[in-house]
Amino acid sequence: MGKGSGYGKTILFGEHFVVYGLPAIASALGSTTTAEVKRADINGYELIDNRPETAGYKEQKKEEYEKLIENVIKFMEVKEGIRITLGGNLVAASGVGASAACAAALARAINNEFRLDWNDDKINEAAFEGEKGPHGTPSGIDNTAAVFGGLLLFKKNLGGNQNTIKKMKLRKPVEIVLGNSGKTSSTKEVVGDVRRLEEEQPKKINAVFEEYGALVEEAKKALKDYDLKKVGTLMNKNHELLQKITVSSSELDEMVETARNAGALGAKLTGTGRGGLMIALTPGKNLQEKVAEAIEAQGYTVFRSKIGGS
Ligand code: MEV
Protein backbone atom coordinates (compact mmCIF):
# COMPACT_ATOMS: atom_id res chain seq x y z
CA MET A 1 0.00 0.00 0.00
CA GLY A 2 1.29 3.49 -0.87
CA LYS A 3 0.97 6.28 1.67
CA GLY A 4 1.29 10.06 1.47
CA SER A 5 0.22 13.27 3.16
CA GLY A 6 -0.29 16.95 2.36
CA TYR A 7 -0.40 19.99 4.65
CA GLY A 8 -3.36 22.27 5.13
CA LYS A 9 -2.50 25.95 4.74
CA THR A 10 -3.55 29.41 5.69
CA ILE A 11 -2.85 32.49 3.57
CA LEU A 12 -1.48 35.35 5.67
CA PHE A 13 -1.28 37.83 2.82
CA GLY A 14 -2.41 37.94 -0.78
CA GLU A 15 -5.20 35.52 -1.66
CA HIS A 16 -6.70 36.58 -5.00
CA PHE A 17 -3.92 39.13 -5.59
CA VAL A 18 -1.60 36.14 -6.12
CA VAL A 19 -3.66 35.15 -9.19
CA TYR A 20 -2.51 38.42 -10.81
CA GLY A 21 1.19 37.80 -10.24
CA LEU A 22 1.55 39.63 -6.91
CA PRO A 23 3.49 37.90 -4.11
CA ALA A 24 1.55 36.13 -1.40
CA ILE A 25 2.59 34.62 1.93
CA ALA A 26 1.18 31.32 3.18
CA SER A 27 1.91 29.06 6.09
CA ALA A 28 1.30 25.34 6.32
CA LEU A 29 -0.85 24.24 9.25
CA GLY A 30 0.05 21.42 11.61
CA SER A 31 -2.93 19.45 10.30
CA THR A 32 -2.62 17.18 7.28
CA THR A 33 -4.67 15.08 4.91
CA THR A 34 -3.41 11.55 4.44
CA ALA A 35 -3.94 9.24 1.47
CA GLU A 36 -3.51 5.51 1.09
CA VAL A 37 -3.44 3.97 -2.37
CA LYS A 38 -3.87 0.26 -3.02
CA ARG A 39 -3.92 -1.46 -6.40
CA ALA A 40 -7.34 -3.08 -6.96
CA ASP A 41 -9.05 -5.18 -9.58
CA ILE A 42 -11.42 -2.38 -10.60
CA ASN A 43 -11.78 0.06 -13.46
CA GLY A 44 -10.42 3.50 -12.63
CA TYR A 45 -10.57 4.30 -8.92
CA GLU A 46 -12.69 3.97 -5.83
CA LEU A 47 -12.68 6.62 -3.10
CA ILE A 48 -13.21 6.17 0.61
CA ASP A 49 -13.19 9.65 2.14
CA ASN A 50 -12.77 9.52 5.91
CA ARG A 51 -11.68 13.15 6.36
CA PRO A 52 -13.50 15.21 8.99
CA GLU A 53 -15.50 17.96 7.25
CA THR A 54 -17.53 21.13 7.59
CA ALA A 55 -21.10 19.94 7.12
CA GLY A 56 -21.97 19.61 3.42
CA TYR A 57 -18.44 20.23 2.09
CA LYS A 58 -17.84 16.79 0.55
CA GLU A 59 -21.26 16.63 -1.08
CA GLN A 60 -20.93 20.14 -2.51
CA LYS A 61 -17.42 19.48 -3.82
CA LYS A 62 -18.06 15.97 -5.19
CA GLU A 63 -17.60 16.80 -8.87
CA GLU A 64 -14.58 18.99 -8.24
CA TYR A 65 -12.86 16.18 -6.31
CA GLU A 66 -13.66 13.71 -9.11
CA LYS A 67 -11.83 15.99 -11.51
CA LEU A 68 -9.00 16.47 -9.01
CA ILE A 69 -8.43 12.71 -8.67
CA GLU A 70 -8.77 12.07 -12.42
CA ASN A 71 -6.25 14.84 -13.16
CA VAL A 72 -3.66 13.43 -10.73
CA ILE A 73 -4.13 9.86 -12.01
CA LYS A 74 -3.77 11.03 -15.61
CA PHE A 75 -0.71 13.19 -14.92
CA MET A 76 1.00 10.35 -13.05
CA GLU A 77 0.03 7.87 -15.79
CA VAL A 78 -1.56 5.33 -13.47
CA LYS A 79 -2.88 2.55 -15.70
CA GLU A 80 -4.18 0.16 -13.03
CA GLY A 81 -7.30 0.37 -10.87
CA ILE A 82 -6.71 1.90 -7.43
CA ARG A 83 -8.56 2.19 -4.16
CA ILE A 84 -7.93 5.55 -2.44
CA THR A 85 -8.57 6.17 1.24
CA LEU A 86 -8.39 9.74 2.52
CA GLY A 87 -8.00 10.59 6.18
CA GLY A 88 -5.96 12.77 8.52
CA ASN A 89 -6.82 15.55 10.95
CA LEU A 90 -7.28 18.43 8.49
CA VAL A 91 -10.94 19.37 8.44
CA ALA A 92 -12.18 19.49 4.86
CA ALA A 93 -13.47 23.07 4.61
CA SER A 94 -13.12 26.10 2.34
CA GLY A 95 -10.08 28.17 3.22
CA VAL A 96 -7.64 25.57 4.58
CA GLY A 97 -6.35 24.33 1.24
CA ALA A 98 -8.28 21.06 1.64
CA SER A 99 -8.28 20.17 -2.05
CA ALA A 100 -4.56 20.95 -2.41
CA ALA A 101 -3.73 18.86 0.67
CA CYS A 102 -5.72 16.02 -0.86
CA ALA A 103 -3.97 16.38 -4.25
CA ALA A 104 -0.54 16.41 -2.58
CA ALA A 105 -1.36 13.41 -0.37
CA LEU A 106 -2.70 11.45 -3.33
CA ALA A 107 0.31 12.25 -5.53
CA ARG A 108 2.65 11.13 -2.75
CA ALA A 109 0.71 7.92 -2.14
CA ILE A 110 0.69 7.04 -5.86
CA ASN A 111 4.41 7.83 -6.01
CA ASN A 112 4.92 5.47 -3.07
CA GLU A 113 2.71 2.64 -4.36
CA PHE A 114 4.13 2.64 -7.91
CA ARG A 115 7.72 3.44 -6.85
CA LEU A 116 7.95 6.36 -9.27
CA ASP A 117 10.71 8.08 -7.30
CA TRP A 118 9.36 11.59 -8.01
CA ASN A 119 10.92 14.45 -6.07
CA ASP A 120 8.90 17.21 -4.34
CA ASP A 121 8.96 19.45 -7.43
CA LYS A 122 7.35 16.71 -9.55
CA ILE A 123 4.87 15.91 -6.76
CA ASN A 124 4.01 19.62 -6.71
CA GLU A 125 3.39 19.53 -10.48
CA ALA A 126 1.01 16.59 -10.00
CA ALA A 127 -0.77 18.37 -7.13
CA PHE A 128 -1.10 21.49 -9.31
CA GLU A 129 -2.76 19.39 -12.04
CA GLY A 130 -5.12 18.07 -9.37
CA GLU A 131 -5.92 21.59 -8.20
CA LYS A 132 -7.07 22.51 -11.71
CA GLY A 133 -10.11 20.27 -10.97
CA PRO A 134 -11.62 22.43 -8.23
CA HIS A 135 -9.99 25.73 -9.16
CA GLY A 136 -9.88 25.92 -12.94
CA THR A 137 -6.92 28.29 -13.03
CA PRO A 138 -5.19 28.01 -9.65
CA SER A 139 -2.24 30.25 -8.88
CA GLY A 140 -0.36 27.28 -7.44
CA ILE A 141 0.05 28.69 -3.91
CA ASP A 142 -2.16 26.08 -2.20
CA ASN A 143 -0.51 23.00 -3.69
CA THR A 144 2.95 24.49 -3.07
CA ALA A 145 2.15 24.99 0.63
CA ALA A 146 0.56 21.52 0.77
CA VAL A 147 3.69 19.86 -0.65
CA PHE A 148 6.54 21.86 0.88
CA GLY A 149 5.04 22.99 4.21
CA GLY A 150 6.56 25.79 6.32
CA LEU A 151 6.12 29.49 5.75
CA LEU A 152 6.55 30.59 2.18
CA LEU A 153 6.44 33.46 -0.19
CA PHE A 154 4.88 32.54 -3.52
CA LYS A 155 4.78 34.56 -6.73
CA LYS A 156 3.11 33.18 -9.81
CA ASN A 157 4.95 33.56 -13.10
CA LEU A 158 2.24 34.86 -15.39
CA GLY A 159 4.30 33.97 -18.48
CA GLY A 160 4.06 30.26 -17.61
CA ASN A 161 7.68 29.93 -16.51
CA GLN A 162 8.73 28.78 -13.08
CA ASN A 163 6.95 30.39 -10.12
CA THR A 164 9.00 32.01 -7.36
CA ILE A 165 8.87 29.99 -4.14
CA LYS A 166 10.90 31.28 -1.19
CA LYS A 167 11.03 29.64 2.21
CA MET A 168 10.63 32.24 4.97
CA LYS A 169 11.64 31.85 8.58
CA LEU A 170 9.85 33.13 11.68
CA ARG A 171 11.93 33.56 14.81
CA LYS A 172 9.38 31.32 16.53
CA PRO A 173 5.96 29.92 15.62
CA VAL A 174 2.96 32.12 16.47
CA GLU A 175 -0.48 31.07 17.66
CA ILE A 176 -3.41 31.78 15.39
CA VAL A 177 -7.13 31.21 15.48
CA LEU A 178 -9.04 30.17 12.38
CA GLY A 179 -12.74 30.96 12.51
CA ASN A 180 -15.00 28.87 10.30
CA SER A 181 -18.03 30.55 8.71
CA GLY A 182 -19.47 27.08 8.13
CA LYS A 183 -20.14 28.00 4.51
CA THR A 184 -18.48 26.25 1.58
CA SER A 185 -17.46 28.50 -1.29
CA SER A 186 -16.36 27.81 -4.85
CA THR A 187 -12.87 29.10 -5.59
CA LYS A 188 -13.55 28.90 -9.31
CA GLU A 189 -16.64 31.10 -8.96
CA VAL A 190 -15.12 33.68 -6.62
CA VAL A 191 -11.88 33.97 -8.65
CA GLY A 192 -14.10 34.39 -11.76
CA ASP A 193 -16.08 37.18 -10.08
CA VAL A 194 -12.89 39.07 -9.22
CA ARG A 195 -11.73 38.66 -12.83
CA ARG A 196 -15.02 40.18 -14.06
CA LEU A 197 -14.75 43.03 -11.57
CA GLU A 198 -11.23 43.75 -12.79
CA GLU A 199 -12.43 43.79 -16.41
CA GLU A 200 -15.38 46.07 -15.60
CA GLN A 201 -13.58 48.50 -13.29
CA PRO A 202 -9.88 48.20 -14.19
CA LYS A 203 -8.88 51.56 -12.71
CA LYS A 204 -10.42 50.94 -9.32
CA ILE A 205 -9.24 47.34 -9.03
CA ASN A 206 -5.73 48.04 -10.28
CA ALA A 207 -5.42 50.73 -7.60
CA VAL A 208 -6.28 48.04 -5.01
CA PHE A 209 -3.66 45.73 -6.55
CA GLU A 210 -1.09 48.51 -6.31
CA GLU A 211 -1.94 49.15 -2.68
CA TYR A 212 -1.56 45.43 -1.95
CA GLY A 213 1.79 45.35 -3.78
CA ALA A 214 3.19 47.92 -1.34
CA LEU A 215 1.55 46.22 1.64
CA VAL A 216 3.10 42.80 0.98
CA GLU A 217 6.59 44.33 0.88
CA GLU A 218 5.97 45.74 4.36
CA ALA A 219 4.59 42.38 5.47
CA LYS A 220 7.73 40.55 4.33
CA LYS A 221 9.83 42.92 6.43
CA ALA A 222 7.55 42.76 9.47
CA LEU A 223 7.60 38.95 9.45
CA LYS A 224 11.38 38.92 9.07
CA ASP A 225 11.74 41.37 11.99
CA TYR A 226 9.17 39.40 14.02
CA ASP A 227 7.23 42.65 14.43
CA LEU A 228 3.90 40.94 15.15
CA LYS A 229 2.06 44.17 15.90
CA LYS A 230 2.90 45.43 12.45
CA VAL A 231 2.02 42.05 10.89
CA GLY A 232 -1.40 42.31 12.55
CA THR A 233 -1.97 45.87 11.34
CA LEU A 234 -1.09 44.80 7.81
CA MET A 235 -3.46 41.82 8.03
CA ASN A 236 -6.24 44.25 8.95
CA LYS A 237 -5.39 46.39 5.92
CA ASN A 238 -5.25 43.29 3.71
CA HIS A 239 -8.78 42.43 4.85
CA GLU A 240 -9.99 45.89 3.80
CA LEU A 241 -8.49 45.36 0.34
CA LEU A 242 -10.23 41.98 0.10
CA GLN A 243 -13.50 43.66 1.03
CA LYS A 244 -12.92 46.10 -1.83
CA ILE A 245 -12.66 43.24 -4.31
CA THR A 246 -15.93 41.88 -2.82
CA VAL A 247 -14.66 38.52 -1.52
CA SER A 248 -15.59 38.93 2.15
CA SER A 249 -18.97 38.09 3.68
CA SER A 250 -21.02 39.19 6.68
CA GLU A 251 -19.94 36.10 8.67
CA LEU A 252 -16.26 36.66 7.90
CA ASP A 253 -16.52 40.36 8.75
CA GLU A 254 -18.28 39.54 12.01
CA MET A 255 -15.58 37.05 13.08
CA VAL A 256 -12.81 39.47 12.06
CA GLU A 257 -14.39 42.22 14.14
CA THR A 258 -14.93 39.90 17.12
CA ALA A 259 -11.31 38.72 17.00
CA ARG A 260 -9.98 42.29 16.91
CA ASN A 261 -12.23 43.32 19.81
CA ALA A 262 -10.97 40.34 21.83
CA GLY A 263 -7.39 41.55 21.38
CA ALA A 264 -6.11 39.81 18.23
CA LEU A 265 -3.20 41.76 16.73
CA GLY A 266 -4.85 41.47 13.35
CA ALA A 267 -7.52 39.51 11.52
CA LYS A 268 -8.58 38.90 7.95
CA LEU A 269 -10.34 36.38 5.80
CA THR A 270 -8.06 33.64 4.52
CA GLY A 271 -8.32 31.71 1.27
CA THR A 272 -11.14 32.10 -1.22
CA GLY A 273 -13.54 34.07 0.96
CA ARG A 274 -17.35 34.53 0.64
CA GLY A 275 -17.42 31.65 3.13
CA GLY A 276 -14.68 29.45 4.46
CA LEU A 277 -12.33 30.81 7.08
CA MET A 278 -10.81 33.87 8.70
CA ILE A 279 -7.47 34.04 10.50
CA ALA A 280 -6.61 36.00 13.65
CA LEU A 281 -3.05 36.59 14.83
CA THR A 282 -3.01 35.75 18.55
CA PRO A 283 0.51 35.31 19.97
CA GLY A 284 0.53 33.35 23.23
CA LYS A 285 -1.81 30.62 24.47
CA ASN A 286 -3.86 33.04 26.60
CA LEU A 287 -4.69 35.45 23.81
CA GLN A 288 -5.37 32.55 21.46
CA GLU A 289 -7.86 31.10 23.92
CA LYS A 290 -9.53 34.48 24.55
CA VAL A 291 -10.04 35.14 20.84
CA ALA A 292 -11.11 31.56 20.11
CA GLU A 293 -13.73 31.72 22.86
CA ALA A 294 -15.01 35.10 21.68
CA ILE A 295 -15.57 33.73 18.17
CA GLU A 296 -17.12 30.54 19.51
CA ALA A 297 -19.50 32.65 21.60
CA GLN A 298 -20.86 34.02 18.31
CA GLY A 299 -21.78 30.45 17.31
CA TYR A 300 -18.87 29.67 14.98
CA THR A 301 -16.41 26.79 15.17
CA VAL A 302 -12.71 27.61 15.44
CA PHE A 303 -9.38 25.85 14.98
CA ARG A 304 -6.45 26.74 17.21
CA SER A 305 -3.20 26.44 15.30
CA LYS A 306 0.22 27.99 14.73
CA ILE A 307 2.02 29.57 11.79
CA GLY A 308 5.71 29.45 11.05
CA GLY A 309 6.32 25.90 12.27
CA SER A 310 8.61 23.70 10.20
C1 MEV B 1 -7.36 30.05 -2.59
O1 MEV B 1 -6.85 29.38 -1.45
C2 MEV B 1 -6.43 31.15 -3.00
C3 MEV B 1 -6.88 31.98 -4.21
O2 MEV B 1 -5.95 33.05 -4.32
C4 MEV B 1 -6.92 31.18 -5.48
C5 MEV B 1 -5.56 30.79 -6.00
O3 MEV B 1 -4.55 31.35 -5.60
O4 MEV B 1 -5.53 29.90 -6.87
C6 MEV B 1 -8.25 32.60 -3.96
Side-chain angles (χ1 to χ4, degrees):
M1 185 205 302
K3 289 184 177 186
S5 68
Y7 296 101
K9 66 93 202 22
T10 180
I11 297 183
L12 297 178
F13 293 99
E15 47 279 275
H16 290 286
F17 304 117
V18 67
V19 173
Y20 297 84
L22 290 155
I25 299 171
S27 175
L29 298 170
S31 318
T32 56
T33 287
T34 58
E36 289 177 358
V37 165
K38 231 183 188 168
R39 284 171 230 224
D41 196 12
I42 51 173
N43 268 336
Y45 72 90
E46 217 174 79
L47 175 67
I48 302 152
D49 191 347
N50 294 330
R51 292 174 303 162
E53 67 167 331
T54 285
Y57 175 90
K58 288 182 200 170
E59 188 50 38
Q60 217 169 309
K61 297 271 178 183
K62 200 164 178 276
E63 272 174 38
E64 295 186 359
Y65 271 81
E66 279 167 11
K67 280 194 212 138
L68 180 155
I69 293 169
E70 281 159 17
N71 283 5
V72 174
I73 286 178
K74 191 164 169 220
F75 187 76
M76 299 186 82
E77 298 182 359
V78 178
K79 304 277 189 266
E80 295 174 54
I82 53 173
R83 191 160 286 124
I84 304 163
T85 309
L86 297 177
N89 59 355
L90 180 71
V91 176
S94 293
V96 285
S99 59
C102 168
L106 176 61
R108 286 198 191 284
I110 290 175
N111 182 47
N112 190 221
E113 173 67 7
F114 293 93
R115 310 205 184 291
L116 303 178
D117 209 16
W118 283 19
N119 64 16
D120 280 353
D121 289 327
K122 279 294 274 184
I123 295 287
N124 198 23
E125 279 179 39
F128 181 65
E129 284 305 310
E131 273 285 88
K132 286 183 185 168
H135 281 212
T137 51
S139 66
I141 188 169
D142 288 8
N143 50 279
T144 301
V147 170
F148 292 101
L151 181 68
L152 32 100
L153 180 120
F154 178 92
K155 190 169 185 288
K156 185 180 172 66
N157 185 312
L158 296 182
N161 288 328
Q162 221 168 14
N163 300 322
T164 305
I165 302 166
K166 282 193 188 143
K167 282 249 177 205
M168 295 174 77
K169 276 221 153 68
L170 267 194
R171 218 170 284 163
K172 81 181 204 281
V174 190
E175 287 78 6
I176 56 162
V177 174
L178 296 169
N180 189 351
S181 70
K183 286 196 173 155
T184 297
S185 54
S186 159
T187 303
K188 200 186 255 179
E189 249 173 62
V190 183
V191 168
D193 285 351
V194 175
R195 175 74 64 195
R196 263 186 299 283
L197 194 67
E198 191 244 349
E199 281 163 9
E200 281 161 20
Q201 305 178 36
K203 227 172 142 192
K204 185 174 160 199
I205 300 305
N206 284 323
V208 178
F209 287 174
E210 245 174 63
E211 222 179 304
Y212 171 75
L215 184 153
V216 71
E217 291 309 315
E218 284 190 75
K220 271 159 57 180
K221 186 174 179 319
L223 284 165
K224 191 163 171 268
D225 296 344
Y226 206 71
D227 183 349
L228 298 182
K229 233 173 139 188
K230 179 85 184 175
V231 173
T233 306
L234 293 167
M235 285 169 70
N236 290 341
K237 281 195 186 152
N238 193 165
H239 186 70
E240 268 173 43
L241 299 181
L242 290 164
Q243 285 173 318
K244 284 190 188 165
I245 60 169
T246 75
V247 299
S248 194
S249 70
S250 53
E251 292 89 353
L252 290 167
D253 288 345
E254 182 181 33
M255 288 189 285
V256 162
E257 197 60 36
T258 304
R260 289 177 191 160
N261 290 340
L265 298 191
K268 63 181 271 294
L269 73 86
T270 181
T272 299
R274 297 258 176 93
L277 305 189
M278 55 71 73
I279 172 176
L281 189 69
T282 55
K285 277 263 165 226
N286 290 345
L287 182 58
Q288 183 185 45
E289 203 44 46
K290 192 168 169 230
V291 171
E293 282 173 13
I295 298 173
E296 280 171 334
Q298 304 277 336
Y300 299 103
T301 26
V302 300
F303 310 110
R304 294 153 177 87
S305 190
K306 278 185 183 179
I307 53 161
S310 54

